[in-house]
Amino acid sequence: MADQKLLPGDVHRHHLPAAEAAPAPAPAPAPASALVPASAPDGGAPASALVPDGGAPASAPALASTEQSARRRLFGGRLLRRAVTNSTAILLLLAAWEVLPRLGVVDPVFVPPLSENLVAWYDLLVGGQLPEHLEASLARSLSGFGLAIVLAIPLGLLIGWYKPVADFLTPLLELFRNTSAVALLPVFTLILGIGETTKVTFVLYACAWPILLNTISGVKTVEPLLIKSARSMGLGPVRLFQKVILPAAVPTIFTGVRLAGAYSILVLLFAEMVGAKAGLGYLILDTQSSFRIPDMYAGIITISVVGLLFNLLLVGIERRFSTWRTT
């Protein structure tokens, strides 16, 4: 095609020398690092920080896995520190129990070292005496404790929710709540004899009071604003009690249940010291009278461990029924 007409002063590339008439080379691509912004658009870490030296960018799953591992290590460290803090006092007590009798600070005849008591505990366990006594005590304790829950919680809810019932029963409750269960043990023995019924009824009576009183308190101390809000939304008495009163009273009720769990073991020891032929209370009294001191401490250790495990179980159940609460 013919060249276009040139205007004065125009220069065509055909009129230039060969070196100057060659087309200019294309610019080289910019390095990858030059394309990476100095910082992320949202003000976060620069994108180059996500790229290892000389390597490919780290993938999102790898970063998430690293973050989860760091969180697990942090959580595990917190649990370890908490466990050490919570067990320090117990470990110091056990160490003192082992060292002080051996140093003669306390009489080792009446307070043997912990290791001797543990040896006696193991001998009772292997000989079958400890399981027999433990089974008898747990059967009585759990029976009375279970009956106390079944009877005391509904009665406490009834007294706390209906004022006429509370006005009728409160004087009677105030009379018996201040009477020690241990003081009434001879009365239970005279009326019911020295059999299993007396022991279970005695545990039932002792456990019922903390459950009953805490249930009444839990119902009466529900936030009034919650009740007014529920009524303003049209909830009837039954739905109000089911959806508002009962869930709000659960923490206080479980406080009473935990107290009753401790009472169920403690008061049983008194009952088993009167006319019993098996049980941890009988074991402690029998070994004390026959001066088998390490065996006596073995029974005491067993009671302490059972009470601790029972309390931990109740705490776990309380958390299960209180998952709606915010911490």
Side-chain angles (χ1 to χ4, degrees):
M1 183 173 58
D3 293 338
Q4 297 178 355
K5 185 178 180 179
L6 299 177
L7 299 176
D10 291 344
V11 179
H12 196 274
R13 65 184 180 91
H14 295 295
H15 300 161
L16 297 176
E20 297 181 5
S33 59
L35 300 177
V36 178
S39 61
D42 56 354
S48 58
L50 303 179
V51 182
D53 295 340
S59 60
L63 293 176
S65 177
T66 304
E67 184 179 356
Q68 290 179 359
S69 300
R71 289 180 178 177
R72 291 194 192 98
R73 288 193 297 268
L74 180 60
F75 182 70
R78 289 177 179 175
L79 287 181
L80 180 61
R81 288 193 298 270
R82 183 180 300 177
V84 171
T85 302
N86 294 340
S87 60
T88 299
I90 297 178
L91 294 177
L92 290 176
L93 173 63
L94 298 180
W97 193 353
E98 178 66 28
V99 173
L100 294 182
R102 296 189 182 278
L103 295 178
V105 178
V106 295
D107 193 344
V109 175
F110 300 106
V111 185
L114 176 63
S115 57
E116 296 183 12
N117 299 324
L118 294 179
V119 171
W121 183 89
Y122 180 76
D123 292 338
L124 290 174
L125 178 65
V126 174
Q129 301 178 42
L130 187 61
E132 177 185 356
H133 294 298
L134 179 60
E135 181 181 358
S137 293
L138 286 179
R140 297 161 181 162
S141 177
L142 293 178
S143 298
F145 178 68
L147 289 174
I149 291 177
V150 172
L151 297 177
I153 290 181
L155 181 59
L157 295 174
L158 186 66
I159 295 174
W161 184 239
Y162 293 103
K163 193 175 184 304
V165 179
D167 294 339
F168 178 73
L169 293 179
T170 295
L172 188 63
L173 297 181
E174 292 296 330
L175 174 65
F176 281 98
R177 65 176 294 184
N178 296 307
T179 304
S180 173
V182 178
L184 294 177
L185 179 58
V187 178
F188 284 98
T189 304
L190 290 174
I191 296 176
L192 302 175
I194 58 175
E196 295 297 315
T197 304
T198 301
K199 300 173 180 58
V200 173
T201 306
F202 183 61
V203 174
L204 164 63
Y205 178 84
C207 293
W209 289 107
I211 299 176
L212 178 65
L213 297 177
N214 278 273
T215 302
I216 296 173
S217 176
V219 173
K220 288 186 175 181
T221 56
V222 175
E223 180 63 37
L225 182 60
L226 293 177
I227 300 177
K228 293 180 180 178
S229 301
R231 285 175 175 169
S232 65
M233 290 187 293
L235 266 68
V238 177
R239 297 290 291 176
L240 175 64
F241 181 82
Q242 179 184 0
K243 296 297 183 180
V244 178
I245 302 299
L246 188 57
V250 163
T252 309
I253 294 174
F254 265 100
T255 300
V257 171
R258 290 175 57 187
L259 291 173
Y263 291 170
S264 67
I265 298 176
L266 296 178
V267 300
L268 178 63
L269 300 180
F270 294 97
E272 290 180 339
M273 292 179 180
V274 180
K277 295 300 180 182
L280 294 176
Y282 169 79
L283 173 65
I284 293 174
L285 182 63
D286 181 62
T287 53
Q288 184 269 339
S289 60
S290 59
F291 211 74
R292 292 182 290 151
I293 304 301
D295 291 347
M296 180 190 72
Y297 281 104
I300 296 174
I301 292 173
T302 303
I303 292 173
S304 300
V305 173
V306 170
L308 177 61
L309 296 177
F310 198 21
N311 182 70
L312 291 177
L313 176 62
L314 293 176
V315 169
I317 296 175
E318 179 182 3
R319 290 176 179 174
R320 171 65 180 83
F321 282 93
S322 302
T323 52
W324 57 270
R325 299 174 64 192
T326 56
T327 56

